Amino acid sequence: MIQRIQTIYLFLAFLVTGILLFFIPIWTMSDNSSYYFMQSQIYTVLLGLSTTLTVLSIVSYKKRQNQFVIGRLNIILNLILLGLFVYRSLNVSGETPAVSEKGIGMFLPVVAIVLLVLANKAIKKDEDLVKSVDRLR
């Protein structure tokens, strides 16, 4: 059901985790070369898993409870990814050869988390509405 607001939120989260990070670097090295997520295997696996969970959540629109649980798992996964980004940027900070400037791609998991929380709120609202109608029957 594409007309539900949570599907739009989930689609935007898919765009952030699945497409935008291909074009936006996570940080810039001191030699002005950009560092993308696919240069690290763990970032690639975690972002691929997050994108897969988002698509799975979009597809499972008939099972709202499963969709809600998948959304929660995706939020936890994006928090882990954000923690890894912050750890890497703080661990190798300063003007070392590793990282000289943090990019906006480092904060895209925050945008994905916000969108996933909004989607989960809408899913919970739908579930409560269905339960209230079932009570009236």
Side-chain angles (χ1 to χ4, degrees):
M1 288 196 167
I2 196 69
Q3 72 266 22
R4 291 171 40 198
I5 190 69
Q6 60 262 31
T7 307
I8 294 170
Y9 290 143
L10 289 170
F11 182 72
L12 290 174
F14 167 74
L15 287 177
V16 168
T17 59
I19 296 174
L20 277 182
L21 281 171
F22 280 104
F23 303 109
I24 298 175
I26 297 174
W27 49 71
T28 306
M29 307 292 218
S30 60
D31 59 351
N32 289 333
S33 64
S34 297
Y35 186 86
Y36 291 93
F37 79 94
M38 51 260 197
Q39 292 172 330
S40 172
Q41 187 175 13
I42 191 159
Y43 297 151
T44 305
V45 168
L46 289 176
L47 280 167
L49 190 59
S50 175
T51 304
T52 304
L53 285 176
T54 305
V55 169
L56 186 64
S57 184
I58 291 172
V59 171
S60 66
Y61 61 88
K62 289 185 179 179
K63 299 177 182 177
R64 286 177 299 278
Q65 196 62 31
N66 288 347
Q67 195 177 27
F68 187 76
V69 170
I70 291 170
R72 287 256 173 113
L73 289 174
N74 205 351
I75 290 170
I76 292 169
L77 186 65
N78 276 305
L79 283 172
I80 291 170
L81 189 65
L82 180 65
L84 286 174
F85 285 165
V86 169
Y87 174 75
R88 171 78 188 253
S89 70
L90 292 177
N91 193 21
V92 198
S93 62
E95 285 300 318
T96 61
V99 178
S100 69
E101 183 178 324
K102 284 82 177 164
I104 195 161
M106 188 173 156
F107 299 106
L108 284 178
V110 174
V111 175
I113 290 169
V114 169
L115 290 169
L116 290 168
V117 166
L118 289 172
N120 270 359
K121 279 181 125 177
I123 292 167
K124 181 74 171 148
K125 187 176 169 185
D126 275 359
E127 187 67 27
D128 291 343
L129 181 67
V130 168
K131 284 182 182 177
S132 71
V133 170
D134 283 345
R135 257 183 273 146
L136 292 176
R137 282 191 222 173

